[in-house]
Amino acid sequence: MYNKLQYISQGKTIEEQLYNIHHALDAGCDWVQMRFKNQTAKDTFALAEAVKFLCEEYLANFIVNDNLYLAQQIAADGVHLGLTDMNIAEARAILGNTKIIGGTANTFEDIENHVKNGCDYIGLGPFRFTATKEKLSPILGLSGYFEILQKMKKNKISIPVYAIGGINLKDISPLMETGIHGIAVSGMITESDEKKKLIQQLNEKLYANVIV
C-alpha cells in the first residue's frame, strides 16, 4: 500500500534541493516527489540523478514532478502529472504498468478522468492557500474533500487520495476523517527545525485509525 506521507521537495538550487531532501529522508520520509520548476534540463537531470541515489539509499519512493521523459530516463519509481501536463493515458503508454503515475485533481470530474486513464493515486487540492504553487486552483477546504470523497464512494471509485496545499499538523485528523488516504506536504517539513519529531507526529496522526 502507498505511504500516507509524501514530501514534495523545495529549493531554488540543486544544493538547496539536495539539502532539504536529504534531511527529509533522514528524518523518516519514505516518499519524495522532486519538484524543481523552471530550471535547465542539465540541472534538473543532475538533481534527479542525485535524488535517485539518495532515495535508493533510504529505500524511499522517488517520483518526478511533471517531467515524464526524465522519470523514464533515470528509471524513477514514477511521475506526478499536473492538470495541464501530459495526459495520464499517454503517460501510461510510455511508462508501462510497473511505474507509479500520480495526477493532480481539483474536482470529482478530474478524479474520474484520471482513474479512467490508469492513474495510481490522486493529489487533490489545494486544501488552503499555499505560496508554494503558482496558478492555484479553487481552494477546497474540509467540506470540499468531504464532498468529493463521498461522491467517489457513491460512484464506487477507489484510489488513494492525498490532500495537498498549506496543510498544518492540526489539520490532519479532520482531513483523515473525510476519507483521504494521506497528505502531500512541502513547506511544513522543509521549514521544520525538528523534522524527525514532526514526521513522527505526522505519521502518528496519519496512521491513528489503521488496523494492523
Side-chain angles (χ1 to χ4, degrees):
M1 198 45 175
Y2 291 148
N3 320 48
K4 289 179 177 283
L5 178 63
Q6 298 184 2
Y7 172 61
I8 300 173
S9 71
Q10 271 189 348
K12 289 184 170 66
T13 63
I14 293 176
E15 292 72 26
E16 265 178 45
Q17 283 266 343
L18 280 177
Y19 177 86
N20 290 334
I21 290 167
H22 199 168
H23 279 267
L25 287 165
D26 212 35
C29 258
D30 43 18
W31 183 298
V32 172
Q33 185 191 133
M34 185 190 98
R35 196 166 181 271
F36 197 43
K37 297 279 192 186
N38 313 318
Q39 305 289 335
T40 64
K42 185 170 167 261
D43 280 0
T44 310
F45 184 81
L47 175 63
E49 260 192 332
V51 177
K52 188 186 180 206
F53 178 76
L54 269 179
C55 285
E56 279 173 356
E57 201 182 319
Y58 283 90
L59 303 178
N61 277 321
F62 173 37
I63 305 291
V64 173
N65 181 279
D66 289 357
N67 197 329
L68 176 104
Y69 294 106
L70 176 64
Q72 187 183 33
Q73 203 179 357
I74 62 155
D77 294 307
V79 69
H80 183 94
L81 298 169
L83 283 167
T84 54
D85 296 327
M86 180 189 274
N87 176 297
I88 302 261
E90 226 176 299
R92 179 60 75 205
I94 293 164
L95 281 185
N97 290 327
T98 59
K99 297 294 180 185
I100 299 166
I101 300 180
T104 299
N106 180 246
T107 63
F108 170 72
E109 288 67 35
D110 293 339
I111 295 174
E112 226 177 2
N113 271 335
H114 286 340
V115 171
K116 198 173 66 198
N117 289 325
C119 195
D120 292 306
Y121 75 87
I122 303 287
L124 179 64
F127 171 60
R128 66 162 63 90
F129 176 78
T130 171
T132 313
K133 199 166 160 68
E134 296 164 25
K135 301 192 190 83
L136 216 54
S137 296
I139 286 162
L140 295 173
L142 268 180
S143 57
Y145 282 94
F146 184 76
E147 216 171 284
I148 291 170
L149 269 294
Q150 285 301 312
K151 225 179 226 185
M152 284 174 67
K153 218 183 222 172
K154 214 169 102 184
N155 289 273
K156 295 186 172 54
I157 294 173
S158 171
I159 188 170
V161 172
Y162 290 81
I164 182 168
I167 296 165
N168 297 322
L169 198 57
K170 62 178 191 310
D171 299 320
I172 295 168
S173 299
L175 268 170
M176 293 305 280
E177 281 169 20
T178 66
I180 58 159
H181 175 73
I183 59 165
V185 292
S186 187
M188 188 186 351
I189 289 175
T190 306
E191 289 149 26
S192 169
D193 295 330
E194 293 189 323
K195 289 182 176 51
K196 228 180 202 104
K197 188 181 166 192
L198 172 67
I199 286 164
Q200 214 174 332
Q201 289 173 317
L202 288 171
N203 280 325
E204 272 168 22
K205 286 176 181 289
L206 289 166
Y207 289 93
N209 300 316
V210 174
I211 296 144
V212 181

